[in-house]
Amino acid sequence: QVQLQQSGPGLVKPSQTLSLTCAISGDSVSSSSAAWNWIRQSPSRGLEWLGRTYYNSKWFNDYTMSVKSRITINPDTSKNQFSLQLNSVTPEDTAVYYCARSVIGSGSRGSFDCWGQGTLVTVSS
Amino acid sequence: DVVMTQSPLSLPVTLGQSASISCRSSQSLVYSDGNTYLNWFQQRPGQSPRRLIYKVSNRDSGVPDRFSGSGSGTDFTLKISRVEAEDVGVYYCMQGTHWPWTFGQGTKVEIK
Protein backbone atom coordinates (compact mmCIF):
# COMPACT_ATOMS: atom_id res chain seq x y z
CA GLN A 1 0.00 0.00 0.00
CA VAL A 2 0.99 3.62 -0.37
CA GLN A 3 3.06 5.13 2.42
CA LEU A 4 4.26 8.70 2.82
CA GLN A 5 7.24 9.51 5.05
CA GLN A 6 7.90 13.11 5.94
CA SER A 7 11.21 14.68 6.95
CA GLY A 8 12.47 18.14 7.74
CA PRO A 9 13.31 20.52 10.58
CA GLY A 10 10.85 21.25 13.34
CA LEU A 11 12.10 24.76 14.09
CA VAL A 12 12.43 27.63 11.64
CA LYS A 13 13.37 31.23 12.36
CA PRO A 14 11.05 34.08 11.33
CA SER A 15 11.66 35.39 7.79
CA GLN A 16 13.44 32.18 6.79
CA THR A 17 12.26 29.31 4.60
CA LEU A 18 10.35 26.27 5.82
CA SER A 19 11.40 23.14 3.88
CA LEU A 20 9.86 19.68 4.17
CA THR A 21 10.12 16.51 2.10
CA CYS A 22 7.66 13.66 1.59
CA ALA A 23 9.04 10.32 0.38
CA ILE A 24 6.61 8.08 -1.46
CA SER A 25 6.51 4.29 -1.40
CA GLY A 26 3.95 2.15 -3.19
CA ASP A 27 3.22 4.77 -5.86
CA SER A 28 5.09 7.16 -8.13
CA VAL A 29 5.33 10.93 -7.92
CA SER A 30 5.03 10.84 -11.72
CA SER A 31 1.80 8.84 -11.67
CA SER A 32 -0.82 10.23 -14.02
CA SER A 33 -3.58 9.28 -11.60
CA ALA A 34 -2.34 10.96 -8.43
CA ALA A 35 -1.59 14.43 -7.10
CA TRP A 36 0.72 15.15 -4.21
CA ASN A 37 -0.46 17.64 -1.66
CA TRP A 38 0.60 19.62 1.39
CA ILE A 39 -1.89 20.41 4.15
CA ARG A 40 -1.33 22.10 7.48
CA GLN A 41 -3.20 22.12 10.79
CA SER A 42 -3.11 24.72 13.51
CA PRO A 43 -5.46 25.63 16.37
CA SER A 44 -6.18 29.03 14.81
CA ARG A 45 -6.68 27.96 11.16
CA GLY A 46 -7.78 24.34 11.47
CA LEU A 47 -6.97 22.10 8.51
CA GLU A 48 -5.83 24.11 5.52
CA TRP A 49 -4.97 22.70 2.11
CA LEU A 50 -1.87 24.51 0.80
CA GLY A 51 -1.21 23.14 -2.65
CA ARG A 52 -0.35 20.21 -4.88
CA THR A 53 1.85 19.02 -7.71
CA TYR A 54 0.93 16.45 -10.35
CA TYR A 55 2.06 15.12 -13.70
CA ASN A 56 -0.13 15.04 -16.79
CA SER A 57 2.21 15.11 -19.80
CA LYS A 58 3.97 17.91 -17.92
CA TRP A 59 4.14 19.09 -14.33
CA PHE A 60 1.40 21.25 -12.84
CA ASN A 61 1.02 23.05 -9.53
CA ASP A 62 -1.98 24.50 -7.74
CA TYR A 63 -1.68 26.67 -4.63
CA THR A 64 -4.16 28.24 -2.27
CA MET A 65 -4.30 32.02 -2.55
CA SER A 66 -3.35 32.72 1.06
CA VAL A 67 0.22 31.43 0.54
CA LYS A 68 0.54 31.55 -3.25
CA SER A 69 3.27 34.21 -3.24
CA ARG A 70 5.41 32.25 -0.76
CA ILE A 71 4.98 28.57 -1.60
CA THR A 72 6.70 26.13 -3.94
CA ILE A 73 5.93 22.42 -4.24
CA ASN A 74 8.41 20.45 -6.32
CA PRO A 75 8.58 16.82 -7.41
CA ASP A 76 11.84 14.88 -7.29
CA THR A 77 11.51 11.97 -9.68
CA SER A 78 14.98 10.61 -8.95
CA LYS A 79 14.05 10.03 -5.30
CA ASN A 80 10.30 9.51 -5.78
CA GLN A 81 9.43 12.31 -3.39
CA PHE A 82 8.10 15.84 -3.34
CA SER A 83 8.89 18.87 -1.28
CA LEU A 84 7.35 21.96 0.27
CA GLN A 85 9.08 25.30 0.54
CA LEU A 86 7.37 28.18 2.30
CA ASN A 87 9.26 31.46 2.26
CA SER A 88 9.30 34.40 4.64
CA VAL A 89 7.65 32.51 7.48
CA THR A 90 6.10 34.16 10.52
CA PRO A 91 4.85 32.68 13.80
CA GLU A 92 1.44 32.36 12.10
CA ASP A 93 2.95 29.58 9.97
CA THR A 94 3.48 27.46 13.06
CA ALA A 95 1.49 24.28 12.43
CA VAL A 96 1.59 20.55 11.89
CA TYR A 97 2.31 20.00 8.21
CA TYR A 98 1.06 16.91 6.39
CA CYS A 99 1.73 15.54 2.96
CA ALA A 100 -1.10 13.60 1.34
CA ARG A 101 -2.08 11.87 -1.88
CA SER A 102 -5.18 12.65 -3.88
CA VAL A 103 -6.41 10.57 -6.77
CA ILE A 104 -7.12 12.46 -9.98
CA GLY A 105 -9.10 11.49 -13.05
CA SER A 106 -12.68 11.00 -14.09
CA GLY A 107 -14.92 10.82 -11.05
CA SER A 108 -12.08 11.62 -8.67
CA ARG A 109 -11.48 15.02 -7.17
CA GLY A 110 -10.58 16.75 -3.98
CA SER A 111 -9.98 13.87 -1.59
CA PHE A 112 -6.97 12.65 0.36
CA ASP A 113 -6.71 8.90 0.70
CA CYS A 114 -3.25 8.63 2.19
CA TRP A 115 -1.46 10.95 4.66
CA GLY A 116 2.04 11.33 6.01
CA GLN A 117 2.75 11.20 9.72
CA GLY A 118 2.81 14.97 10.15
CA THR A 119 5.62 17.33 11.14
CA LEU A 120 5.22 20.01 13.78
CA VAL A 121 7.00 23.11 12.53
CA THR A 122 7.47 25.95 14.98
CA VAL A 123 8.43 29.39 13.73
CA SER A 124 10.41 31.09 16.47
CA SER A 125 13.67 32.89 17.00
CA ASP B 1 -13.88 30.13 -0.33
CA VAL B 2 -16.59 27.59 0.51
CA VAL B 3 -17.25 27.55 4.24
CA MET B 4 -17.93 24.17 5.83
CA THR B 5 -19.86 24.39 9.10
CA GLN B 6 -20.08 21.38 11.39
CA SER B 7 -22.36 20.79 14.33
CA PRO B 8 -22.11 20.01 17.09
CA LEU B 9 -18.48 20.87 17.83
CA SER B 10 -18.47 18.50 20.80
CA LEU B 11 -20.37 15.23 20.98
CA PRO B 12 -20.37 13.11 24.14
CA VAL B 13 -21.80 9.68 23.40
CA THR B 14 -22.51 6.52 25.34
CA LEU B 15 -20.79 3.34 24.22
CA GLY B 16 -23.09 1.37 21.99
CA GLN B 17 -25.30 4.34 21.16
CA SER B 18 -25.36 6.14 17.82
CA ALA B 19 -23.95 9.57 16.97
CA SER B 20 -24.63 11.99 14.13
CA ILE B 21 -22.54 14.88 12.88
CA SER B 22 -23.91 17.54 10.56
CA CYS B 23 -21.92 19.40 7.93
CA ARG B 24 -23.29 22.29 5.88
CA SER B 25 -21.55 24.02 2.99
CA SER B 26 -21.98 27.65 1.95
CA GLN B 27 -22.46 26.54 -1.67
CA SER B 28 -23.80 23.45 -3.38
CA LEU B 29 -21.14 20.76 -3.64
CA VAL B 30 -22.48 19.26 -6.86
CA TYR B 31 -19.68 19.42 -9.42
CA SER B 32 -20.10 19.87 -13.18
CA ASP B 33 -19.59 16.11 -13.66
CA GLY B 34 -22.62 15.35 -11.50
CA ASN B 35 -20.61 14.07 -8.55
CA THR B 36 -20.67 15.57 -5.07
CA TYR B 37 -17.17 15.70 -3.60
CA LEU B 38 -17.85 15.60 0.11
CA ASN B 39 -15.49 13.65 2.35
CA TRP B 40 -15.33 12.68 6.02
CA PHE B 41 -12.09 12.21 7.93
CA GLN B 42 -11.37 10.81 11.38
CA GLN B 43 -8.43 12.06 13.42
CA ARG B 44 -7.66 9.99 16.49
CA PRO B 45 -5.58 11.60 19.25
CA GLY B 46 -1.97 12.01 18.14
CA GLN B 47 -2.60 10.63 14.65
CA SER B 48 -2.90 11.95 11.12
CA PRO B 49 -6.36 12.30 9.62
CA ARG B 50 -7.75 9.18 7.99
CA ARG B 51 -10.38 9.25 5.27
CA LEU B 52 -13.58 7.37 6.14
CA ILE B 53 -16.03 8.45 3.45
CA TYR B 54 -15.69 9.99 -0.01
CA LYS B 55 -18.28 11.29 -2.46
CA VAL B 56 -20.86 11.60 0.32
CA SER B 57 -21.46 7.94 1.07
CA ASN B 58 -18.62 5.72 -0.19
CA ARG B 59 -16.77 4.01 2.65
CA ASP B 60 -13.03 3.50 2.37
CA SER B 61 -11.58 0.01 2.53
CA GLY B 62 -11.28 -1.19 6.10
CA VAL B 63 -13.76 1.31 7.50
CA PRO B 64 -16.37 -0.43 9.66
CA ASP B 65 -19.91 -0.40 8.30
CA ARG B 66 -20.92 1.38 11.53
CA PHE B 67 -19.88 4.55 9.68
CA SER B 68 -22.23 5.89 7.04
CA GLY B 69 -22.50 9.13 5.12
CA SER B 70 -25.52 10.76 3.56
CA GLY B 71 -26.79 14.04 2.22
CA SER B 72 -26.91 16.16 -0.89
CA GLY B 73 -26.40 19.70 -2.13
CA THR B 74 -25.32 21.64 0.95
CA ASP B 75 -26.39 19.37 3.83
CA PHE B 76 -24.51 16.25 4.84
CA THR B 77 -24.41 13.84 7.78
CA LEU B 78 -21.96 11.33 9.18
CA LYS B 79 -23.58 8.68 11.35
CA ILE B 80 -21.75 6.35 13.69
CA SER B 81 -23.89 3.44 14.80
CA ARG B 82 -23.01 1.56 17.99
CA VAL B 83 -20.13 3.84 19.02
CA GLU B 84 -17.02 2.03 20.23
CA ALA B 85 -14.11 3.30 22.32
CA GLU B 86 -11.85 3.38 19.24
CA ASP B 87 -14.16 5.97 17.62
CA VAL B 88 -12.97 8.71 19.99
CA GLY B 89 -11.40 11.56 18.07
CA VAL B 90 -12.17 14.56 15.90
CA TYR B 91 -14.21 14.21 12.72
CA TYR B 92 -13.90 16.60 9.80
CA CYS B 93 -15.92 17.10 6.68
CA MET B 94 -14.11 18.42 3.63
CA GLN B 95 -15.28 19.58 0.23
CA GLY B 96 -13.35 18.83 -2.95
CA THR B 97 -15.72 20.48 -5.40
CA HIS B 98 -14.65 24.14 -5.31
CA TRP B 99 -11.15 25.62 -5.25
CA PRO B 100 -9.62 25.84 -2.77
CA TRP B 101 -10.68 22.64 -1.07
CA THR B 102 -11.80 23.40 2.46
CA PHE B 103 -12.42 21.59 5.73
CA GLY B 104 -14.96 21.97 8.48
CA GLN B 105 -13.78 23.02 11.93
CA GLY B 106 -14.13 19.53 13.37
CA THR B 107 -16.41 17.68 15.80
CA LYS B 108 -14.86 16.11 18.86
CA VAL B 109 -16.42 12.77 19.76
CA GLU B 110 -15.86 11.54 23.30
CA ILE B 111 -17.26 8.83 25.48
CA LYS B 112 -19.60 9.87 28.31
Side-chain angles (χ1 to χ4, degrees), chain A residues 107 111 113, chain B residues 35-41 51-65 67-71 77-78:
Chain A
S111 189
D113 64 345
Chain B
N35 288 308
T36 299
Y37 294 101
L38 186 283
N39 308 276
W40 289 97
F41 294 88
R51 193 179 69 182
L52 299 175
I53 303 280
Y54 61 97
K55 288 195 284 189
V56 182
S57 59
N58 294 273
R59 254 191 321 273
D60 270 276
S61 175
V63 174
D65 59 7
F67 291 90
S68 62
S70 62
T77 301
L78 175 71

